[in-house]
Amino acid sequence: MAEQLVIIPALLFGAIIGLVEMFFVHSDEIGMGWFSHGLHALPFAILFTMVSMNVGWALGLLPGKLVTNMWIDLGVRAAVAVLAMLKISAAAAIAGRVGERLGHVVVIGILIFLAPYVWKFIGPFIPLPKVFGF
């Protein structure tokens, strides 16, 4: 059975990961326009988390047995996390700033990768409204 589209949890986790990203930006780029860079990072954290949490749903739209293949699911989530880490690293580098430390970038990538699995454990205990019947 294909997974359902995850909206509210993805927005919630994305906002939390975005706030963690803002704390990391503040500690790494203090006094260098960290707030505007942090605000720039927030919607992208939500976007990457939304994509990561809905990989199973997207694979279910494709024909074949991709939806049941755990390795493809993990690979796509890992690719999303790596793209998020590249985006985070490049954002400050393009602006000519110091940038974030590698450890902080890796932590954000790991959080984005793990968000759907964390939700599977804590989701049943958090009452959230249903959106569009999902």
Side-chain angles (χ1 to χ4, degrees):
M1 185 173 115
E3 293 185 29
Q4 291 183 341
L5 183 64
V6 179
I7 298 173
I8 299 292
L11 293 173
L12 178 67
F13 272 48
I16 292 169
I17 293 171
L19 287 175
V20 171
E21 171 74 8
M22 283 191 72
F23 290 129
F24 286 162
V25 169
H26 174 61
S27 69
D28 294 341
E29 298 182 8
I30 193 160
M32 296 175 39
W34 69 269
F35 189 71
S36 62
H37 179 206
L39 286 180
H40 170 259
L42 188 64
F44 282 100
I46 293 172
L47 173 72
F48 283 117
T49 305
M50 179 78 76
V51 172
S52 178
M53 291 185 76
N54 287 300
V55 165
W57 175 80
L59 290 176
L61 298 176
L62 299 174
K65 298 190 180 242
L66 289 177
V67 71
T68 60
N69 191 330
M70 176 188 74
W71 295 108
I72 291 178
D73 188 70
L74 286 174
V76 172
R77 287 184 211 278
V80 169
V82 168
L83 286 174
M85 293 187 314
L86 289 172
K87 190 266 171 224
I88 291 167
S89 296
I94 290 173
R97 305 268 192 238
V98 173
E100 285 189 61
R101 290 184 216 145
L102 179 62
H104 290 167
V105 173
V106 171
V107 167
I108 296 299
I110 290 170
L111 288 174
I112 289 172
F113 179 82
L114 292 178
Y117 304 110
V118 171
W119 177 249
K120 286 184 181 182
F121 284 112
I122 69 168
F125 302 109
I126 300 175
L128 292 176
K130 300 284 183 183
V131 175
F132 306 119
F134 295 113

